Amino acid sequence: MVSFRFPFSFSQPPRAATSFSGFSVSAVAVSVTVGAAAAAGAAIAASRNPRHSILEWAFSSHRSSLLLPWGSITLADSTSESVVEPKTGFSFPASIGDSRRLLGVGLRKKSLLGLKNIDVYAFGVYADCDDVKKLVGEKYANLPASEIRGNKSFLDDLMQADIKMTIRLQIVYGKLSIRSVRSAFQESVGNRLKKFGGLDNDQLLLSFTSLFKDEYKIPRNSTIDLTKEPGHVLSVAIEGDHVGSVKSQLLCRSILDLYIGEDPFDKNAREDFLDNVASLAVDN
């Protein structure tokens, strides 16, 4: 059974994100050291719809190259602390809920014909540490972290398992509209649904995209939380207000794949996430 009122989904371009080191499970006090790096953009094909060419591409499955400053983030012990995404200066709490810890941060960025870069949104990837340790410890406890994080079965298990996870988006581009998001994510989520579930998922996709209602406003600094709840229920909140949920393992996996799958929005954010998840398993 599918229940709905949910707004969001994603796809990918690579970039050099912040790197996490020294994560501990009870962690949370944050020290950030940011080094310098160059920014670069790659040319992309223009959208078929000139009115939304920038915004729709940014949320679609097309890609561009981009770089961010490298940094070093250590999570220690204090739930009141936050981690800053260094390019935008947007901060993310080091933990949310009872046991979801921040395991990676990244930036969704759009490069238009190599001439202008647009920061669309920053994001943080959270996972329930207890759930991760239980799942991965059972199957990969005898493997070192270096082997776990590069194991494709490990990533597949992680995305399909009943683990509580949250992707928090913080809007950077102030002119972003729900209409543009709705149109662009119809493509990216639809492609993932076909990838994992075949062609017969039009109703699921329609139910998902219809939740991007024009009444929702997403100005700069607003947040969208995409949380995979127990039972593979995807719960969505805008600015902290719950707007709906969808019970679908296929949809949950398709959305997670856009951030931590093999072809993610931000490859370095994915690498940080995998490093920290693997460390949790080894520390089990």
Side-chain angles (χ1 to χ4, degrees):
M1 176 177 178
V2 182
S3 61
F4 297 95
R5 256 185 77 72
F6 166 41
F8 239 74
S9 81
F10 348 73
S11 196
Q12 51 232 296
R15 132 255 149 201
T18 51
S19 61
F20 282 59
S21 61
F23 179 92
S24 68
V25 176
S26 60
V28 192
V30 180
S31 67
V32 179
T33 304
V34 178
I44 60 159
S47 170
R48 291 188 294 270
N49 183 346
R51 291 186 59 197
H52 301 297
S53 60
I54 293 176
L55 296 182
E56 292 187 5
W57 183 94
F59 288 88
S60 74
S61 59
H62 302 299
R63 301 181 57 184
S64 69
S65 298
L66 36 120
L67 294 173
L68 285 181
W70 286 90
S72 173
I73 300 176
T74 302
L75 300 179
D77 192 18
S78 164
T79 56
S80 65
E81 296 295 342
S82 61
V83 173
V84 174
E85 193 289 310
K87 182 65 175 180
T88 62
F90 280 35
S91 63
F92 292 84
S95 68
I96 55 178
D98 295 334
S99 58
R100 276 168 290 161
R101 299 290 185 260
L102 182 61
L103 302 180
V105 295
L107 176 65
R108 182 66 171 109
K109 192 167 182 174
K110 154 73 174 145
S111 177
L112 180 63
L113 300 177
L115 300 176
K116 183 178 182 180
N117 291 328
I118 296 175
D119 297 339
V120 182
Y121 64 79
F123 64 88
V125 184
Y126 296 80
D128 186 294
C129 295
D130 294 335
D131 288 349
V132 171
K133 292 178 70 176
K134 179 179 179 181
L135 169 80
V136 185
E138 290 175 352
K139 298 188 65 175
Y140 303 95
N142 296 325
L143 294 179
S146 60
E147 292 186 24
I148 292 175
R149 53 110 45 240
N151 190 310
K152 186 178 183 302
S153 295
F154 164 67
L155 182 58
D156 289 341
D157 286 342
L158 193 63
M159 288 194 292
Q160 294 189 75
D162 196 8
I163 293 176
K164 190 170 185 178
M165 297 180 64
T166 294
I167 309 293
R168 171 164 292 182
L169 314 182
Q170 290 199 56
I171 305 303
V172 178
Y173 187 61
K175 296 180 180 180
L176 188 65
S177 71
I178 283 289
R179 181 174 297 178
S180 296
V181 171
R182 179 174 63 235
S183 176
F185 280 109
Q186 184 171 359
E187 177 186 355
S188 60
V189 173
N191 287 339
R192 290 310 197 280
L193 291 174
K194 291 177 182 177
K195 174 183 176 181
F196 297 118
L199 299 176
D200 189 19
N201 291 291
D202 291 346
Q203 187 59 48
L204 176 59
L205 178 61
L206 178 61
S207 298
F208 170 76
T209 56
S210 67
L211 296 170
F212 294 82
K213 299 185 183 303
D214 292 342
E215 64 198 66
Y216 299 130
K217 307 302 180 184
I218 47 173
R220 180 178 169 86
N221 294 315
S222 61
T223 62
I224 298 174
D225 284 353
L226 311 170
T227 299
K228 185 174 75 168
E229 303 282 3
H232 302 284
V233 174
L234 185 63
S235 175
V236 180
I238 298 178
E239 284 291 271
D241 295 326
H242 177 74
V243 298
S245 59
V246 182
K247 183 176 175 59
S248 169
Q249 184 177 13
L250 174 60
L251 182 61
C252 288
R253 179 177 183 181
S254 296
I255 289 176
L256 289 177
D257 188 72
L258 293 164
Y259 291 96
I260 61 173
E262 293 183 348
D263 194 22
F265 272 173
D266 185 324
K267 289 189 175 181
N268 287 284
R270 173 187 185 269
E271 295 303 302
D272 293 335
F273 174 82
L274 292 178
D275 285 341
N276 287 311
V277 169
S279 296
L280 288 178
V282 169
D283 291 339
N284 187 33

